[in-house]
Amino acid sequence: MSKILEITIDAFGEGLLKNTEFDNVITFCCLLSYGDIKDIEKQKIKTLNNIVIPINSQISKLNTINENKIRIWYSSLDNEDMCSLYFLVSYFCNKDIEIYVCDIANEEKFSFSSYLSSEIKELSKNTILLDDKEKIKYKEKWETLIKENEDLRILNNGALMSFSFDYLDSKILDIIKNNKDIEYFELIGKCISEKLCGFYIDQIFFNRVDELISKGLVKIIEKNNKDKCLIITI
């Protein structure tokens, strides 16, 4: 019988597991919480600012799995992790594979970056085996998100829901209103530190702020091209 395959959503988590007792580890991430997810398995790449995600190679990675047991490590407080969890369960739902999941979130920690290597073994005790009913529930949820195919998929009271870009943009605008004449990178930092709408990927906020600037919804009142130091306001 093959050993269990560990699947993380980010490379940091993969490195952390490999630094402990786990050696059969892969990372799967297709930025499923942001942008178009219709026919995601047929997409070749997804781009977000300077991030280029090779969707085709990520899917190919799943197609070559030989293990009959997988464990998906995820944070129930992270949009991207939850989207990836639903996708992966849906993907493997009808295959002869046991699907285990391990939620790494708690009241104090919400991502792998919050943990030390020495804590992973204890963390693995959160592992549970999904039964058929739970697999179907996750699969149906993912199918609903695909059908809605909105701009964003955001956790709301523990449930993933679909939203337009306007929802996140309004939260960013609120930060600007409360911090008049805020510097560009300070704004990005606040979005991340406040865990705005459950997103932790800085390029998502770069993308949305740049879009707000291009639409004229926020104004640049001082600019330094060399450092891209922009002071922006409503």
Side-chain angles (χ1 to χ4, degrees):
M1 183 179 293
S2 60
K3 68 170 69 175
I4 189 167
L5 175 68
E6 315 290 348
I7 304 178
T8 65
I9 315 303
D10 64 81
F12 186 92
E14 178 182 357
L16 199 59
L17 291 185
K18 286 182 175 179
N19 284 336
T20 55
E21 60 184 48
F22 306 97
D23 55 8
N24 193 27
V25 190
I26 65 171
T27 296
F28 175 85
C29 182
C30 288
L31 198 60
L32 299 175
S33 59
Y34 192 90
D36 179 24
I37 56 171
K38 184 179 180 180
D39 297 324
I40 188 68
E41 294 179 41
K42 297 180 181 179
Q43 294 183 27
K44 292 185 177 181
I45 63 170
K46 178 179 280 192
T47 59
L48 179 64
N49 294 9
N50 64 348
I51 297 177
V52 179
I53 298 176
I55 303 295
N56 51 353
S57 67
Q58 291 288 299
I59 300 298
S60 296
K61 191 187 302 184
L62 301 181
N63 291 334
T64 59
I65 288 177
N66 295 317
E67 292 82 358
N68 53 26
K69 294 181 181 181
I70 64 171
R71 173 164 43 195
I72 304 166
W73 299 73
Y74 74 101
S75 168
S76 57
L77 300 178
D78 186 290
N79 301 329
E80 185 61 28
D81 280 23
M82 290 301 295
C83 284
S84 299
L85 172 68
Y86 287 163
F87 171 84
L88 289 167
V89 172
S90 176
Y91 187 87
F92 290 112
C93 186
N94 297 320
K95 301 181 186 296
D96 187 21
I97 293 177
E98 292 182 3
I99 303 176
Y100 296 83
V101 296
C102 184
D103 187 359
I104 65 173
N106 59 37
E107 294 180 355
E108 298 178 350
K109 301 178 180 181
F110 58 88
S111 72
F112 267 122
S113 61
S114 305
Y115 288 92
L116 301 173
S117 296
S118 58
E119 297 176 292
I120 299 303
K121 187 173 182 179
E122 184 67 23
L123 185 62
S124 67
K125 293 179 180 179
N126 294 338
T127 298
I128 61 172
L129 173 64
L130 296 184
D131 59 27
D132 290 340
K133 184 177 180 180
E134 290 169 313
K135 291 179 187 178
I136 293 171
K137 181 180 70 174
Y138 287 0
K139 184 176 187 292
E140 290 177 345
K141 181 58 179 177
W142 179 246
E143 290 173 346
T144 297
L145 294 172
I146 290 176
K147 184 177 180 180
E148 294 168 346
N149 196 29
E150 262 289 4
D151 302 319
L152 306 167
R153 282 146 293 281
I154 296 172
L155 285 165
N156 188 7
N157 293 323
L160 269 179
M161 300 180 64
S162 298
F163 292 89
S164 70
F165 285 137
D166 291 341
Y167 181 78
L168 177 57
D169 291 351
S170 68
K171 305 293 184 183
I172 296 174
L173 290 171
D174 285 342
I175 292 178
I176 299 173
K177 290 175 184 176
N178 294 329
N179 297 269
K180 189 177 180 180
D181 302 351
I182 189 172
E183 192 268 326
Y184 182 90
F185 289 108
E186 182 184 355
L187 172 59
I188 302 300
K190 282 186 177 292
C191 291
I192 296 172
S193 65
E194 293 184 15
K195 306 178 182 65
L196 204 63
C197 293
F199 287 112
Y200 310 102
I201 303 172
D202 58 358
Q203 292 298 329
I204 285 178
F205 298 117
F206 284 129
N207 184 263
R208 297 319 309 158
V209 173
D210 289 349
E211 183 69 15
L212 290 172
I213 292 172
S214 69
K215 288 181 177 180
L217 294 176
V218 298
K219 299 176 182 178
I220 300 171
I221 57 177
E222 184 179 328
K223 183 175 182 179
N224 182 329
N225 288 326
K226 183 178 180 180
D227 301 319
K228 197 181 180 182
C229 179
L230 311 178
I231 308 300
I232 59 180
T233 189
I234 296 296

